[in-house]
Amino acid sequence: MTEIRSVVPDRRAMYILSLIGFFAIFSTTLSKNPVLPLFSQALGAGDAVIGVIAAVSPLAGILFSFPVGVLSDHLGRRRLLIASGVIFLSAPFFYLLIFNPLWLIPVRFFHGMATAILGPVIAAMIAERFPENTGEMLGQYSSATLIGRSLAPLVGGAIISFFVFYPSLISYRIVYLAAAVVAVPVLLLILLYRGENAGPLKVLPFSAFRTSFVAFFSNRKLRATAFVDMATYFAFGAFETFLPLVLLSGGMGAYQAGILFAAQTLIIALTKPFFGRIADQIDKRIQIIIGLLILGCSVAVIPFASSFAAFLLVSALFAVGMSLSTVATSAYTADIAKKEQMGASMGALSSVMDIGHSAGPLVTGIIIAGSGYGAGFLASFLITAVVCGFFVLSVRDR
């Protein structure tokens, strides 16, 4: 009877956390895809400004994920989660006030802070609450966010299309109103969640952040795991940015690129809980290595694919590799991080991941400009191969 009582609250807590992730990522993606570049262009922004606007949100993740993780270790995770809920709810209203595209830069940075807080804090909460099946629960949460990420562009595109004949910027502003409405459950669910006894509010000295930073990056296993996520998202950034261009150069349409990305997202969403369950039962290091190698090889063969069926197979393999690797890296980090630094460790992992995600398109674009698509995608393969070797050497038991 005691066991049943303990399982039910934990299951309810996981449902709440998954719903928070679903609505939060649905709302923030609705504010970005496909409305952000269209809204920016309608306000008069050029290509360079649109690029800066798009890059600002990931920058918030790079800068804030680690400090937020440290704060959550010392001040309590729920407080930080409430702060993210307030940002998710308030940020969409700022878009309604914008008539100059340059103001989108600070607004996007502010909005990006919400996801910079949400990811590492919830990952730490899940790792602490479900130590026996961390991989499975992290996979379940990730799948919920992926469903939100997949549905949001469809809803945003439908709203823009429905109001396309209305004057001025009304169609875009309706999308941001919808994003605010979707964010309401985020804050409500966060307020409903009870999972910790928060410590006293206090001002943290800089030494607390320095200690957590040194503790993470001086640990060879944590450091190597972070590099795996960086390599994974480097390849993903290159894949999602340049695969549509490869398809167009091969005479295929934009709708086919949409099918590939939709299939990829669906595969990741369906497999992550399953692969998370496997990660809880086997050596996570082996799963990380297998996933990274599958992902790297699938990127390397992109220039050799010539038909839509071949591209679909490559996209599916990439999704399987990414799903295998990323769910295991988070669970492995939870295994080896100190409990009192769980938030800092998840935050550092998220920051390094965002660095890879941002660097992927930039570095790959430079290589493609000079040497073509083959060399560009080969770079992702080489990085994954080198990082895989570094990971093997770093995490082996001495």
Side-chain angles (χ1 to χ4, degrees):
M1 182 65 72
T2 303
E3 183 180 352
I4 294 175
R5 286 176 180 173
S6 64
V7 169
V8 172
D10 280 349
R11 187 177 299 165
R12 179 175 177 271
M14 194 61 226
Y15 286 150
I16 292 176
L17 292 175
S18 296
L19 286 172
I20 290 171
F22 168 77
F23 284 111
I25 300 305
F26 188 105
S27 176
T28 190
T29 306
L30 189 61
S31 301
K32 180 176 63 174
N33 295 333
V35 66
L36 184 62
L38 301 175
F39 184 45
S40 303
Q41 189 177 61
L43 290 170
D47 291 341
V49 174
I50 292 174
V52 172
I53 292 169
V56 161
S57 184
L59 178 62
I62 294 172
L63 295 177
F64 283 102
S65 291
F66 173 70
V68 160
V70 177
L71 288 171
S72 74
D73 287 333
H74 292 272
L75 304 182
R77 314 217 191 278
R78 187 168 178 270
R79 285 177 178 144
L80 274 297
L81 211 54
I82 290 173
S84 75
V86 171
I87 297 174
F88 275 118
L89 182 57
S90 61
F93 291 106
F94 289 108
Y95 295 91
L96 306 180
L97 306 175
I98 293 176
F99 290 92
N100 184 322
L102 294 179
W103 280 105
L104 282 171
I105 296 174
V107 170
R108 284 300 300 166
F109 188 84
F110 177 69
H111 208 164
M113 289 171 59
T115 49
I117 297 171
L118 184 80
V121 171
I122 287 192
M125 294 169 82
I126 291 173
E128 289 175 339
R129 187 146 191 165
F130 303 95
E132 300 300 323
N133 55 344
T134 302
E136 181 182 356
M137 295 300 103
L138 286 171
Q140 181 178 317
Y141 170 77
S142 182
S143 293
T145 64
L146 284 168
I147 294 171
R149 195 183 303 276
S150 302
L151 293 177
L154 301 177
V155 174
I159 293 173
I160 293 172
S161 299
F162 185 80
F163 291 97
V164 69
F165 296 111
Y166 283 72
S168 187
L169 304 171
I170 289 180
S171 61
Y172 306 124
R173 300 197 189 281
I174 295 292
V175 174
Y176 289 111
L177 282 174
V181 171
V182 175
V184 171
V186 178
L187 185 56
L188 292 179
L189 288 167
I190 289 172
L191 294 175
L192 283 174
Y193 182 83
R194 293 286 187 273
E196 65 172 4
N197 296 318
L201 282 172
K202 57 184 177 181
V203 177
L204 287 185
F206 178 75
S207 59
F209 297 93
R210 184 179 63 241
T211 300
S212 295
F213 183 87
V214 171
F216 183 89
F217 286 100
S218 63
N219 185 310
R220 59 186 173 85
K221 294 183 178 181
L222 288 174
R223 186 173 61 242
T225 306
F227 285 149
V228 168
D229 264 8
M230 183 182 69
T232 299
Y233 279 88
F234 181 99
F236 180 65
F239 185 93
E240 67 178 352
T241 303
F242 294 104
L243 181 64
L245 300 181
V246 174
L247 292 175
L248 291 175
S249 67
M252 285 171 252
Y255 77 94
Q256 289 172 303
I259 293 173
L260 291 181
F261 286 122
Q264 184 184 76
T265 303
L266 181 63
I267 290 171
I268 295 174
L270 292 176
T271 58
K272 267 206 167 183
F274 173 70
F275 288 149
R277 197 176 304 121
I278 291 177
D280 291 328
Q281 298 171 357
I282 68 170
D283 191 330
K284 298 175 180 64
R285 295 171 295 182
I286 295 175
Q287 183 167 325
I288 291 170
I289 293 167
I290 293 173
L292 193 59
L293 289 177
I294 292 174
L295 180 144
C297 291
S298 64
V299 174
V301 300
I302 287 175
F304 304 102
S306 56
S307 65
F308 178 72
F311 281 112
L312 186 60
L313 177 61
V314 168
S315 184
L317 287 173
F318 187 98
V320 170
M322 189 170 185
S323 182
L324 273 167
S325 176
T326 53
V327 74
T329 53
S330 296
Y332 185 59
T333 299
D335 284 349
I336 57 181
K338 293 181 179 178
K339 185 176 180 181
E340 64 273 13
Q341 293 180 341
M342 187 67 71
S345 298
M346 291 299 181
L349 192 70
S350 181
S351 290
V352 175
M353 175 198 76
D354 282 332
I355 291 172
H357 199 181
S358 299
L362 176 63
V363 175
T364 305
I366 293 172
I367 296 172
I368 288 174
S371 305
Y373 288 116
F377 288 112
L378 180 62
S380 290
F381 168 74
L382 292 175
I383 289 173
T384 56
V386 170
V387 169
C388 188
F390 177 74
F391 179 79
V392 171
L393 293 174
S394 299
V395 302
R396 61 180 180 175
D397 296 321
R398 297 176 180 175

